């Protein structure tokens, strides 16, 4: 008999121009007195201060995500304002202290907006606390704010979505070869986001209109819901993400160029090649959109790329992908050269 299942998805999603102004109404639904706003390191701290200003009737602190002391438990509501990193740290705080979470994305660069999980590196760091699960009670996506984000970040959001075509293929492979549980619904949801963005990519790529951002934000939120239904990031993160994570781990502090969604897009091309999929089409879409199509463009040397490709399979041994038990150096170099990523 099947086990009882449960999953968490966001309760309220408000999006559109000026959505941030609705924050007090959303907050008022929760009996909060002391509010912690977790922001990014620079520009997004201004947005966080704006939100704090809207909540002047409450006791509010704004803290950068890299300065948050997660052992400090005096807050009863947490808001994550910024890109993917502050939002992930806000999820950790929300989980550890059972403080409801409101997510206010300032960019559409990643699909962690509605996902109840934190990204690979952070979950590794927090592993001693068990699996962090924090589904936002509300998402407030102000498309005016997001439209003002640098277009490079928005293109990175398209990059993160390109990855779903490989992530789902990897999941199907693991289902067939390893008997891993597979949710057709979650997989379709992730693929729908992929398809909608690919079919609109050339129209929205310059992000000149609010409508362009709307398409992207909805697709990213859809992926977050897919992860919620699947019970992990599986529908949205396969070998293409393993490659991206491996590059980030190898670069560490030296990574001041590559953005998550860009690395994922490049990973998608090489993993599509390994799967025998139409990698040229994916690369064409990436190029047309203005995403990087070589690793050099985002400051990554061939040696790092090869190392990442040969080690990526070790990062999540429980998540079977096309990388199987790993690629040798020569195979890795060939794959990267054939796809002209190096
Ligand atoms: N939980 C999940 O399922 C997922 C989580 N992630 C996480 O998200 C990260 C990627 O997200 P990403 O947003 O690229 O990373 P960051 O949060 O590091 O943001 C990247 C940069 O964008 C800037 N930025 C954000 N919004 C604006 C804006 N409106 N105007 C100008 N600059 C802006 C940030 O500024 P500032 O300096 O102020 O921070 C930062 O410099 C991953 O590394 C991972 O940690 C990604 C995918 C899924
Ligand atoms: O980036 C993600 C999905 O786009 C999250 O995936 P990870 O669990 O691999 O960090
Ligand atoms: Zn991602």
């Amino acid at each position: 008999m099947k086990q009882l299942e449960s999953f968490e998805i966001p309760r309220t999603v408000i999006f559109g121009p000026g959505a941030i102004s609705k924050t007090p109404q959303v907050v008022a639904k929760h009996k909060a007195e002391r509010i912690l706003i977790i922001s990014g390191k620079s520009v997004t701290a201004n947005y966080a201060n704006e939100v704090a200003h809207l909540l002047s009737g409450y006791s509010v602190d704004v803290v950068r995500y890299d300065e948050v002391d997660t052992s400090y438990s005096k807050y009863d509501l947490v808001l994550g304002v910024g890109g993917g990193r502050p939002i992930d740290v806000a999820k950790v705080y929300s989980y550890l202290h059972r403080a409801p979470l409101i997510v206010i994305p300032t960019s559409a660069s990643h699909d962690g907006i509605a996902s109840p999980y934190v990204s690979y590196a952070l979950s590794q760091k927090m592993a001693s606390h068990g699996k962090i699960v924090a589904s936002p009670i509300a998402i407030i996506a102000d498309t005016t704010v997001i439209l003002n984000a640098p277009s490079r970040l928005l293109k990175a959001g398209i990059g993160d979505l390109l990855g779903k075509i490989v992530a789902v293929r990897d999941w199907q492979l693991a289902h067939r070869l390893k008997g891993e549980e597979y949710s057709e619904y979650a997989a379709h949801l992730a693929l729908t986001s992929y398809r909608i963005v690919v079919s609109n990519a050339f129209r929205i790529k310059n992000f000149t209109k609010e409508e362009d951002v709307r398409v992207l934000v909805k697709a990213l939120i859809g992926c977050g819901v897919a992860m919620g239904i699947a019970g992990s990031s599986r529908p949205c993160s396969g070998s293409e993400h393993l490659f991206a994570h491996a590059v980030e781990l190898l670069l560490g502090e030296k990574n001041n160029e590559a953005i998550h969604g860009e690395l994922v897009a490049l990973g998608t091309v090489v993993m599509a090649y390994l799967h025998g999929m139409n990698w040229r089409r994916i690369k064409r879409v990436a190029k047309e959109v203005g995403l990087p199509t070589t690793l050099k463009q985002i400051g990554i040397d061939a040696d790092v790329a090869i190392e990442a490709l040969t080690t990526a399979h070790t990062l999540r041994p429980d998540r079977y992908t096309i990388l199987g038990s790993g690629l040798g150096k020569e195979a890795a170099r060939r794959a990267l050269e054939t796809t002209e990523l190096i």
Side-chain angles (χ1 to χ4, degrees):
M1 202 168 67
K2 278 239 167 200
Q3 301 250 313
L4 207 59
E5 283 182 42
S6 78
F7 57 81
E8 293 190 14
I9 53 176
R11 194 184 305 166
T12 306
V13 178
I14 300 181
F15 73 100
I20 276 189
S21 67
K22 300 289 174 202
T23 308
Q25 282 98 309
V26 176
V27 167
K29 288 187 191 160
H30 306 278
K31 281 199 190 101
E33 287 174 10
R34 293 153 308 177
I35 300 172
L36 172 63
I37 302 183
I38 298 179
S39 80
K41 289 185 187 175
S42 55
V43 192
T44 63
N46 299 333
Y47 287 117
N49 286 325
E50 240 178 71
V51 172
H53 186 69
L54 291 171
L55 299 172
S56 53
Y58 299 85
S59 158
V60 183
D61 287 326
V62 178
V63 185
R64 283 166 47 151
Y65 75 87
D66 54 336
E67 291 174 348
V68 170
D69 181 351
T70 46
S71 67
Y72 203 45
S73 68
K74 73 170 187 173
Y75 303 99
D76 43 30
L77 184 67
V78 56
L79 274 59
V81 179
R85 286 174 212 258
I87 291 173
D88 267 6
V89 173
K91 286 178 194 167
V92 171
Y93 191 94
S94 163
Y95 171 80
L96 292 179
H97 300 297
R98 296 199 172 86
L101 168 69
I102 297 174
V103 166
I104 306 184
T106 59
S107 65
S109 44
H110 62 96
D111 60 5
I113 297 167
S115 148
Y117 306 111
V118 300
S119 57
Y120 170 79
L122 190 55
S123 65
Q124 293 289 105
K125 209 167 132 193
M126 303 306 295
S128 61
H129 294 281
K131 186 173 178 179
I132 313 279
V133 186
S135 183
I137 49 157
I139 294 167
I140 303 171
D142 191 321
T143 45
T144 308
V145 169
I146 297 172
L147 189 59
N148 276 324
S151 70
R152 185 176 170 193
L153 283 176
L154 304 177
K155 289 171 197 277
I158 297 181
D160 206 15
L161 287 164
L162 285 182
K164 312 316 166 201
I165 189 79
V166 162
V168 169
R169 191 63 79 94
D170 280 325
W171 196 11
Q172 289 167 341
L173 193 68
H175 176 59
R176 291 189 199 115
L177 293 184
K178 304 285 174 187
E180 186 180 319
E181 200 166 329
Y182 175 76
S183 160
E184 202 172 349
Y185 191 85
H188 274 272
L189 205 48
L191 285 180
T192 296
S193 288
Y194 164 86
R195 289 193 184 112
I196 287 178
V197 158
V198 168
S199 57
N200 285 286
F202 306 141
R203 184 171 65 80
I204 67 171
K205 66 179 179 183
N206 293 321
F207 295 102
T208 50
K209 297 192 298 296
E210 196 262 347
E211 164 65 18
D212 304 342
V213 161
R214 254 171 202 260
V215 172
L216 183 58
V217 171
K218 280 193 210 170
L220 292 168
I221 290 178
C223 283
V225 173
M227 292 188 248
I229 292 171
S232 77
S233 62
R234 194 42 145 147
C236 299
S237 171
S239 50
E240 77 299 329
H241 270 73
L242 290 178
F243 175 73
H245 298 321
V247 169
E248 284 187 325
L249 284 175
L250 286 168
L251 292 180
E253 293 295 306
K254 281 185 278 171
N255 176 22
N256 44 22
E257 274 245 36
I259 305 180
H260 174 79
E262 294 176 342
L263 282 170
V264 170
L266 293 164
T268 304
V269 173
V270 69
M271 300 307 168
Y273 163 78
L274 294 175
H275 268 290
M277 296 160 73
N278 188 349
W279 61 269
R280 286 189 180 84
R281 176 164 185 256
I282 296 163
K283 197 162 179 183
R284 204 163 47 240
V285 174
K287 188 167 187 211
E288 289 275 354
V289 163
L291 278 158
T293 50
T294 68
L295 285 147
K296 206 171 173 191
Q297 276 173 276
I298 48 171
I300 294 154
D301 293 339
D303 288 353
V304 171
I306 292 167
E307 179 78 8
L309 195 46
T310 54
T311 55
H313 68 287
T314 62
L315 300 187
R316 259 185 179 136
D318 55 326
R319 196 173 285 193
Y320 189 79
T321 70
I322 190 67
L323 293 170
S325 55
L327 260 68
K329 259 204 163 108
E330 270 323 299
R333 177 184 294 282
R334 209 166 40 245
L336 291 165
E337 283 177 352
T338 306
T339 50
E340 293 177 6
L341 295 190
I342 59 171

